[in-house]
Amino acid sequence: MPKRSKEDTLITINTILDEATNQLLNVGYDDMSYTTLSKATGISRTGISHHFPKKTDFTQALKGRFLQMFMSHLNISATEKEFVQSWESALLDQEFASICHLIIHQVTNDSASEFASSIIEQIKNIAFELFNESGKKSVEWLLGMTMASIALSTATEKAA
């Protein structure tokens, strides 16, 4: 069998990462698997695991994408108050809420916590650059509020 070109390999990797993004946002980290990715992409489980040997490799490869998606929901060209309001409003958006849920879920998962801590640090650094120490403190408050909101919605879903 001839060796695959670098271009074909990149197409395969991007196909896997696109579907991993979709599944992480829509079914969550725990329910995404090599089997679900294989069924959705048509790429064998072995082919997927060749590029991503551990499940945490997906979140590591997608850190930049998730940070960009997260930040796209926030008003960073305004005042700190408007930034905070944009975060609070964004929690009503399914994509933003799913990213928050993924980050918070990963904080509690030892093997994947580097993903979450890296994204959280980058968000804090952006807020610090924009609004100084006050912005960093606002992000810490917003993260706590977001965690509480997600915990409440999760408890409500389980009770229903």
Side-chain angles (χ1 to χ4, degrees), residues 19-155:
E19 184 55 32
T21 299
N22 177 51
Q23 290 191 25
L24 287 167
L25 292 176
N26 293 305
V27 299
Y29 184 83
D30 291 337
D31 291 332
M32 182 190 79
S33 68
Y34 289 91
T35 300
T36 61
L37 290 169
S38 178
K39 286 179 182 175
T41 61
I43 300 167
S44 71
R45 288 175 43 170
T46 304
I48 294 170
S49 66
H50 171 75
H51 298 291
F52 302 96
K54 299 179 303 216
K55 193 172 179 180
T56 56
D57 292 338
F58 296 106
T59 52
Q60 292 306 314
L62 291 166
K63 272 192 297 194
R65 185 184 295 193
F66 280 117
L67 178 63
Q68 184 177 18
M69 291 168 71
F70 182 91
M71 294 305 294
S72 73
H73 292 276
L74 303 177
N75 186 352
I76 60 172
S77 62
T79 67
E80 184 178 346
K81 181 178 180 180
E82 291 168 319
F83 169 78
V84 169
Q85 289 171 337
S86 70
W87 184 309
E88 292 169 338
S89 297
L91 284 171
L92 300 174
D93 180 272
Q94 183 61 45
E95 180 182 89
F96 186 83
S98 293
I99 295 169
C100 289
H101 191 272
L102 177 65
I103 292 169
I104 290 166
H105 176 270
Q106 296 307 304
V107 167
T108 61
N109 182 343
D110 288 339
S111 62
S113 65
E114 196 279 325
F115 162 79
S117 61
S118 173
I119 288 181
I120 289 169
E121 278 307 306
Q122 289 180 55
I123 295 166
K124 286 181 184 179
N125 289 340
I126 291 167
F128 180 79
E129 288 174 20
L130 294 169
F131 311 115
N132 301 313
E133 189 63 30
S134 163
K136 191 174 177 181
K137 289 189 184 301
S138 288
V139 167
E140 290 170 355
W141 178 83
L142 287 163
L143 286 167
M145 185 263 308
T146 300
M147 285 181 172
S149 173
I150 288 172
L152 181 62
S153 68
T154 302

